[in-house]
């Protein structure tokens, strides 16, 4: 599975609730990313992190938060401030310093009910 | 920062014909250009990549060409098959860059 795992695969959330998506990698990659993908659309960058305890906003960070307390883990919280959270969320990692391929998790499909 | 434009957004070809997807990038310092394939409901996976020290790379029915002067690179799929139907993403980055930048994606449909 490329050494990067997302959980859960499917997630249902009630409006007004925060929810956290998990992403773990055992590839020793420094960089980790969160993307949002809507039906028929491309990959939109939410947040990324190059190093532990540091992360940067991507193109659509509003309504989301992340943490990077460990190199292996980069959880994404979808807050109640995100107006349209229903989407497919992909986590990825790579080694930017040496330009290696990015590995993706299997994705989490979040549905607001 | 880097900006990657990908065309076309959708492409439909007859089985057995060739398909070409093109990407342009803005940062002349970019030196790594991967291509990813995403089948329906699945994760994107690397299918081929090229570095700036070569102009072309081939792997069976797929090939990638790079024109550093014009800052564009292309994916070529020959003898297309139904299983080639997917969304394809190009990307560009350079050593020391903060992030990998993706194109908008191309939905390729192979018609039997």
């Amino acid at each position: 599975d490329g050494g990067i795992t997302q959980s859960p695969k499917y997630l249902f959330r009630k409006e007004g609730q925060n929810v956290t998506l998990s992403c773990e990698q055992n590839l020793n990659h420094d960089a980790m990313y969160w993307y949002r993908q809507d039906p028929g659309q491309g990959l939109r960058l939410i947040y990324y992190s190059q190093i532990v305890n540091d992360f940067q906003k991507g193109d659509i960070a509003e309504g989301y938060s992340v943490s990077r307390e460990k190199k292996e883990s980069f959880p994404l919280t979808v807050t109640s401030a995100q107006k349209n959270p229903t989407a497919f969320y992909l986590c990825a990692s790579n080694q930017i310093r040496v330009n290696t391929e990015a590995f993706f998790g299997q994705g989490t499909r979040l549905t607001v009910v | 920062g880097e900006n990657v434009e990908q065309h076309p957004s959708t492409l439909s070809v007859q089985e057995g014909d060739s398909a070409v997807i093109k990407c342009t990038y803005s940062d002349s310092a970019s030196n790594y250009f991967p291509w990813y394939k995403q089948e329906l409901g699945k994760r994107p996976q690397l299918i081929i990549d090229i570095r700036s020290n070569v102009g072309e790379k081939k792997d069976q029915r797929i090939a990638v060409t790079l024109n550093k002067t014009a800052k564009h690179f292309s994916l070529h799929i020959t003898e297309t098959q139904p299983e080639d139907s997917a969304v394809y993403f190009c990307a560009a980055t350079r050593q020391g860059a903060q992030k990998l930048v993706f194109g908008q994606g191309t939905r390729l449909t192979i018609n039997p």
Side-chain angles (χ1 to χ4, degrees), chain B residues 15-29:
Chain B
E15 183 177 352
D17 289 350
S18 295
V20 181
I21 302 170
K22 299 181 179 180
C23 288
T24 59
Y25 61 98
S26 60
D27 186 352
S28 57

Side-chain angles (χ1 to χ4, degrees), chain B residues 61-77:
Chain B
R61 295 186 298 106
I62 61 173
V64 57
T65 58
L66 171 65
N67 183 327
K68 288 185 292 183
T69 302
K71 290 190 285 187
H72 68 70
F73 56 111
S74 300
L75 178 71
H76 304 253
I77 306 174

Side-chain angles (χ1 to χ4, degrees), chain B residues 49-95:
Chain B
D49 57 13
I50 191 168
R51 299 185 186 273
S52 59
N53 56 346
V54 297
E56 183 174 2
K57 185 177 179 181
K58 190 173 181 179
D59 182 3
Q60 299 182 354
R61 295 186 298 106
I62 61 173
V64 57
T65 58
L66 171 65
N67 183 327
K68 288 185 292 183
T69 302
K71 290 190 285 187
H72 68 70
F73 56 111
S74 300
L75 178 71
H76 304 253
I77 306 174
T78 59
E79 301 172 13
T80 53
Q81 301 169 4
E83 54 264 36
D84 294 328
S85 293
V87 178
Y88 292 81
F89 294 97
C90 63
T93 191
R94 57 174 172 81
Q95 192 169 3

Side-chain angles (χ1 to χ4, degrees), chain A residues 1-6 23-35 43 74 90-96 98-107, chain B residues 32 34-36 43-47 49 51 100 102:
Chain A
D1 290 341
I4 181 166
T5 303
Q6 285 183 245
C23 180
E24 303 275 336
Q25 54 98 1
N26 61 3
L27 301 166
N28 200 34
H29 285 166
D30 289 322
M32 296 187 75
Y33 310 84
W34 274 105
Y35 294 92
L43 303 169
F74 192 41
L90 283 161
C91 178
S93 71
N94 76 336
Q95 200 67 288
I96 279 291
V98 293
N99 283 348
T100 62
E101 70 177 281
F103 288 87
F104 286 83
Q106 72 270 38
Chain B
Y32 176 61
W35 285 90
Y36 292 83
R43 73 184 85 188
Q45 292 191 298
L46 181 77
I47 55 172
D49 57 13
R51 299 185 186 273
L100 184 63
F102 286 91

